[in-house]
Amino acid sequence: MIKVKSALLLGMLLLMQVCTVSAETIPVEDFWKRSSFREVKISPDGRYLAATVPLENLTALVVMDLTTKKLTGSFKPQVKAHIQDFYWVNNERLLFRSAVREGRFASPFLIPAYYAMNADGSKIGTGYGDGKEPELLDTLKADDKYVLVQFRSKEGLATIGKMNVDNGTIIDTFKKPPVEAPGQFVTDNNADVRLYVTGKSYKDQKVHVRPGADWDWKVLHETKLSEQDFTFKGFSDNNVLAYFSLTEKTGPDGLYSYNLKTGEKKLVSRDDNVNPAQLLSAQPNDSVYAVRFEDGFPRYEYLDKTNPAAKELMKLQASFPDTDVYPVSSTNDGNQVIYLVSSDTIPGEYYLFDRTTQKAQHLLSRAAWLDTKKMALMEPMKFKARDGLEIEVFVTLPNGSDGKNLPLIVNPHGGPFGPFDSWGFNNETQMLASRGYAVMQVNFRGSGNYGKDFQSKGYRQWGKIMQDDLTDATRWAIQQGIADPNRICMYGASYGGYASLMAVAKEPGLYRCAVGNVGTYDLPLQLSYSTSGGGGMNPAKAFFGDVAQDDVAQYSPARLAGQIKVPVMLMAGEKDTTCPPEQSKLMFAALQKAGVPVELKIYPGEGHGNALIENQLDFANRLLKFFDKNLKLGTATMGELVPIK
C-alpha cells in the first residue's frame, strides 16, 4: 500500500493546532457545478477528441480537433437523457447511445437504440438497430463499415449480427448460443466469439468456452458446482489466455487465466485485502500489462513490467505523486494515450501522453474553478469491529484542523450489498469538510471490493451486525480523538438513509442528529412495492432476495420512532421509484407522533436523488444549516451520552 499520503497527512496534522474554517469559504455552488467533461476518448488516428459534457438536464457529446483545439461537432439527446457510452468506430465516425437517469442515486435506464455522428457533426443517424434493441459486442477495429452487435429473443436467447455504422442496417450472422439459455456472448481481440455466459440467477451461472471458431463448446465454469462467482476480465494479446476473477471462500477474489488450447487454469494475482478491479491492456496488440486494485489508495500490480505501457504508467505515477493515474483511451497504434489524473483533492485532469516524445500535454479539466490546495485530504484507515472483523473507513479532515475533537458526519453508502466507498474526490464530502466537519465513510460488512465472504456477512443483517459496524466505527473515531462525542451526526442516502435513522433508534445516546435522503424506513412496505410495466415483477423483492431477513419489521426505523430522541431531517424525490416518497412521509409522521423534532422536504419532479442543480443547491444548504444548528458545541440537548470505553 502507498504510504506517501499517510505521511503527508500526519505532517500536516502536527503543524496545525486549531480547527478553523478558511476566511475565504468556498461557495456551496462551486461544489455542485456540473463537471466540464465526464468521459474523454481519442479517435483511432489521434486527430479528434470526443467527450461527454454534463448540462443542466442532459449530457451532450462534443468533438474537438486536437490540432486546432476547435469544436467540430456535437449532439444533444432529449431532455433527461444522457450520453451513456460512446465509441469511435472508425477515424471519422462515432457510435453512441443514451440513458435516462431519474435521480442522482438511480441506475441509468439505457434507451435501446444507437445514434451515430461524424466528427464534423454531419451524417447524424438515429434509431440504429431496426427496432431489435442491439447490444454492442465489438467495434471491429479492422472494419470501418460495421460493428458486431448482439440481440436477444423474448426468451433471452442471444444471436449476433453486423450493424452498418453509416445507416444502421443489420446483417444477421446467425451465430447461435451453445445452449438454449439466456446469456451474453464475449468476443476476443480478433472479434471471434469465444465465451457464452448464462445465468438463471446469481447462484446459477455457467460459462461456455471454445478455443476457436471451428471448435466445439465446453463448460469452463459452473457456479453451482464451484460456489464461485465468475467475472470476465479480458484476453491476452494472442487470444490464448482468457482472464477472469473468481470469488473465494474467504478473502478477496482471485484473478485467474485459462489457456483455451490446453485447458490449464492458473492463479495470476490475488491481493490480501481487495478484489482485482480492472485488467489493463495496451495498443497496438492488446497486450496485458497490469491489474488495478482499489486498496485504500489505488495501486497497480504490473504483470509485465517490460511492456511499454507499463513503463509509461510507472513514469506518470512518479510525475504525479499522491494521485490516481489511469489510462482511459488510446489511438490504435498506441502512440497517443489519454490519462485521467485525479485524487482526493483533484476532481480530474486529462493529459495526452505521446509515446514518441515521452511528454504529457494537459488537455482538459473536470472542474478548473476549484482550488485543489483548499480541498481536504481523505485518509484510508482501518479498525476492528466488536467481533474482530477488520473494517476500512475513509476519514476526511477539514483543512486547518489538528484532526482532534471535531464535529463528525458519519456517511454510510447506499446499496447496501456490492457498492463501496473508495479514495478519491467527493464533492459532498469536500463541501462538508470546507465547513469544518470531519467526514467518515464506512465500508461496513456487506460492501463490495473485499471478497464474497465479507459481502455475505452482511446478508440478513439489516439493522443488526451491519448496523453495529457503523456504531463501532463511530466509537472508534471517538477513541482516536477525531470526533467530539457531543457532536456526531449520521447522514446517508438510499440504504444510507435507512442506516442513519436506524442508528439514532438503536443508539439514541451516540448521535446528536440524523439525516435521511431518499431512504427506506419501513422494510415490509419496501418489500411490497411493485412497478407498472414490469411484467408482474417486483424490483424491491428482486433486490432484497435472499439477503433480507424475515424479521424486517422490527428493524424498520418508522416502527421505532419512539426510540429516537434527536432531531431528524428527511428528504425525498416526488417521483422516486426506488425508495418512494411514501417511505419518508411515513417516517415523518411516526416521528411527529413521537414528539421528535423533524423536518421533511419532498422535491417535485425528482427521482432517487436530485438531478436539477437548483434542487441540489437547496438540499446542500438545508444540510449545512441543519448540521450547523445541531452540531454546534453545547446545542444538542436531547438524549443521554453513552460512556465510551
Side-chain angles (χ1 to χ4, degrees):
M1 182 183 292
I2 300 172
K3 299 295 184 182
V4 176
K5 186 68 77 171
S6 298
L8 178 61
L9 181 59
L10 179 61
M12 290 188 69
L13 294 181
L14 291 174
L15 289 172
M16 306 298 183
Q17 297 300 317
V18 294
C19 177
T20 60
V21 178
S22 171
E24 298 179 2
T25 304
I26 303 169
V28 171
E29 291 80 0
D30 285 3
F31 294 105
W32 295 94
K33 286 182 182 179
R34 307 294 187 204
S35 296
S36 297
F37 302 95
R38 182 169 292 159
E39 189 177 3
V40 175
K41 292 182 182 180
I42 194 169
S43 62
D45 61 357
R47 179 180 176 182
Y48 298 106
L49 199 68
T52 48
V53 178
L55 303 175
E56 171 58 24
N57 53 7
L58 57 87
T59 299
L61 178 68
V62 300
V63 182
M64 179 179 74
D65 187 300
L66 272 172
T67 301
T68 65
K69 301 297 188 295
K70 293 181 178 180
L71 292 181
T72 60
S74 65
F75 181 89
K76 285 185 180 181
Q78 65 195 55
V79 172
K80 285 193 174 182
H82 306 268
I83 301 300
Q84 183 68 18
D85 42 22
F86 65 95
Y87 309 89
W88 285 101
V89 291
N90 56 48
N91 291 333
E92 295 288 335
R93 196 153 179 81
L94 288 147
L95 190 69
F96 50 95
R97 60 180 173 173
S98 63
V100 175
R101 187 172 185 171
E102 294 291 349
R104 182 181 169 209
F105 304 106
S107 299
F109 174 75
L110 283 167
I111 297 173
Y114 281 91
Y115 304 89
M117 180 183 74
N118 279 359
D120 62 2
S122 66
K123 296 183 180 179
I124 293 176
T126 61
Y128 278 17
D130 289 346
K132 296 182 179 180
E133 301 186 8
E135 302 169 33
L136 185 64
L137 270 185
D138 200 294
T139 58
L140 300 179
K141 186 165 61 174
D143 189 336
D144 286 347
K145 288 292 184 182
Y146 291 93
V147 294
L148 207 62
V149 292
Q150 174 180 274
F151 307 98
R152 297 180 192 276
S153 67
K154 291 181 179 179
E155 297 74 27
L157 296 178
T159 57
I160 295 175
K162 281 187 174 182
M163 185 169 74
N164 188 300
V165 299
D166 289 324
N167 57 31
T169 56
I170 306 277
I171 300 174
D172 291 329
T173 61
F174 303 106
K175 290 181 179 177
K176 296 183 179 179
V179 292
E180 293 292 309
Q184 172 70 43
F185 282 114
V186 178
T187 58
D188 65 13
N189 296 321
N190 290 333
D192 292 327
V193 176
R194 291 298 190 93
L195 270 65
Y196 186 68
V197 183
T198 66
K200 295 179 181 178
S201 72
Y202 71 96
K203 292 182 177 180
D204 189 15
Q205 186 185 40
K206 191 177 288 187
V207 182
H208 303 264
V209 64
R210 61 178 181 176
D214 299 325
W215 291 61
D216 292 332
W217 292 91
K218 61 181 179 179
V219 175
L220 165 62
H221 174 82
E222 194 167 358
T223 301
K224 276 189 173 181
L225 297 178
S226 67
E227 296 185 348
Q228 293 177 292
D229 300 333
F230 174 100
T231 304
F232 175 73
K233 294 293 186 181
F235 284 98
S236 61
D237 53 355
N238 58 8
N239 297 309
V240 172
L241 299 179
Y243 293 94
F244 51 88
S245 64
L246 291 176
T247 57
E248 308 287 4
K249 289 184 178 180
T250 60
D253 302 352
L255 178 68
Y256 290 83
S257 67
Y258 175 82
N259 190 306
L260 278 78
K261 291 185 176 180
T262 66
E264 179 187 11
K265 186 175 79 171
K266 181 181 178 182
L267 179 65
V268 175
S269 176
R270 191 181 182 209
D271 187 71
D272 292 335
N273 303 314
V274 297
N275 299 338
Q278 293 85 24
L279 188 70
L280 272 61
S281 60
Q283 297 298 339
N285 57 357
D286 297 297
S287 53
V288 172
Y289 65 93
V291 57
R292 176 182 169 89
F293 294 97
E294 303 286 343
D295 186 14
F297 301 113
R299 66 176 180 80
Y300 298 98
E301 179 182 338
Y302 290 96
L303 305 179
D304 180 9
K305 292 184 178 180
T306 65
N307 191 302
K311 295 178 180 179
E312 181 179 296
L313 182 53
M314 286 186 276
K315 179 178 180 179
L316 288 168
Q317 284 183 304
S319 299
F320 298 100
D322 305 327
T323 66
D324 180 14
V325 183
Y326 185 73
V328 296
S329 179
S330 168
T331 54
N332 280 350
D333 61 12
N335 286 333
Q336 292 177 290
V337 184
I338 296 176
Y339 285 88
L340 175 62
V341 178
S342 61
S343 73
D344 49 352
T345 62
I346 303 171
E349 303 288 337
Y350 287 99
Y351 287 85
L352 179 61
F353 184 85
D354 189 305
R355 191 168 289 173
T356 303
T357 64
Q358 290 291 294
K359 291 182 179 180
Q361 173 192 0
H362 182 265
L363 288 176
L364 305 166
S365 297
R366 279 184 171 173
W369 58 86
L370 285 175
D371 186 348
T372 60
K373 294 179 181 178
K374 293 181 179 179
M375 299 297 106
L377 297 175
M378 175 188 286
E379 180 76 356
M381 300 180 183
K382 292 181 180 180
F383 74 94
K384 286 188 176 180
R386 63 190 67 182
D387 62 353
L389 184 67
E390 194 169 62
I391 305 287
E392 185 168 46
V393 299
F394 294 86
V395 179
T396 302
L397 302 176
N399 282 340
S401 82
D402 61 359
K404 300 296 181 183
N405 206 40
L406 295 166
L408 174 68
I409 310 299
V410 182
N411 183 217
H413 62 71
F417 305 114
F420 60 95
D421 285 314
S422 57
W423 182 84
F425 189 86
N426 184 305
N427 63 318
E428 192 170 63
T429 298
Q430 289 292 340
M431 179 191 73
L432 293 171
S434 75
R435 267 55 181 178
Y437 299 106
V439 182
M440 180 170 64
Q441 297 161 284
V442 185
N443 281 337
F444 45 84
R445 71 193 74 200
S447 303
N449 194 42
Y450 305 99
K452 185 177 182 178
D453 181 55
F454 184 90
Q455 182 171 320
S456 63
K457 286 181 187 296
Y459 294 169
R460 299 184 177 274
Q461 293 298 323
W462 285 65
K464 298 181 180 180
I465 299 176
M466 199 157 52
Q467 191 71 40
D468 291 340
D469 287 346
L470 294 168
T471 300
D472 294 347
T474 303
R475 293 185 181 279
W476 170 83
I478 295 172
Q479 291 165 351
Q480 296 297 306
I482 298 170
D484 178 348
N486 291 299
R487 296 188 292 165
I488 304 174
C489 185
M490 190 177 290
Y491 152 58
S494 198
Y495 170 82
Y498 163 86
S500 298
L501 271 294
M502 196 65 206
V504 291
K506 193 171 184 177
E507 303 288 344
L510 189 57
Y511 302 97
R512 297 298 91 196
C513 57
V515 179
N517 183 21
V518 295
T520 180
Y521 309 111
D522 188 287
L523 298 184
L525 179 61
Q526 184 75 29
L527 284 167
S528 73
Y529 290 142
S530 62
T531 58
S532 60
M537 296 180 64
N538 187 321
K541 277 191 176 180
F543 173 75
F544 284 101
D546 294 337
V547 301
Q549 62 265 27
D550 297 328
D551 55 352
V552 290
Q554 63 179 295
Y555 293 97
S556 297
R559 305 185 185 206
L560 302 172
Q563 298 174 204
I564 297 175
K565 307 297 181 184
V566 296
V568 171
M569 184 166 72
L570 302 169
M571 275 82 84
E574 178 196 22
K575 296 185 177 180
D576 189 348
T577 57
T578 304
C579 296
E582 286 73 24
Q583 288 278 342
S584 296
K585 292 177 183 178
L586 204 157
M587 188 76 237
F588 177 72
L591 289 170
Q592 278 193 319
K593 185 177 179 180
V596 178
V598 58
E599 51 189 282
L600 169 65
K601 172 65 176 178
I602 296 179
Y603 290 94
E606 294 284 13
H608 198 50
N610 292 337
L612 297 179
I613 191 70
E614 61 262 31
N615 290 334
Q616 291 178 346
L617 289 174
D618 180 82
F619 171 83
N621 283 303
R622 285 173 185 268
L623 195 67
L624 292 174
K625 183 179 179 180
F626 182 79
F627 289 151
D628 185 56
K629 177 181 177 181
N630 291 287
L631 294 184
K632 282 185 177 179
L633 188 61
T635 60
T637 58
M638 297 184 72
E640 181 180 350
L641 284 176
V642 177
I644 304 300
K645 297 180 181 180

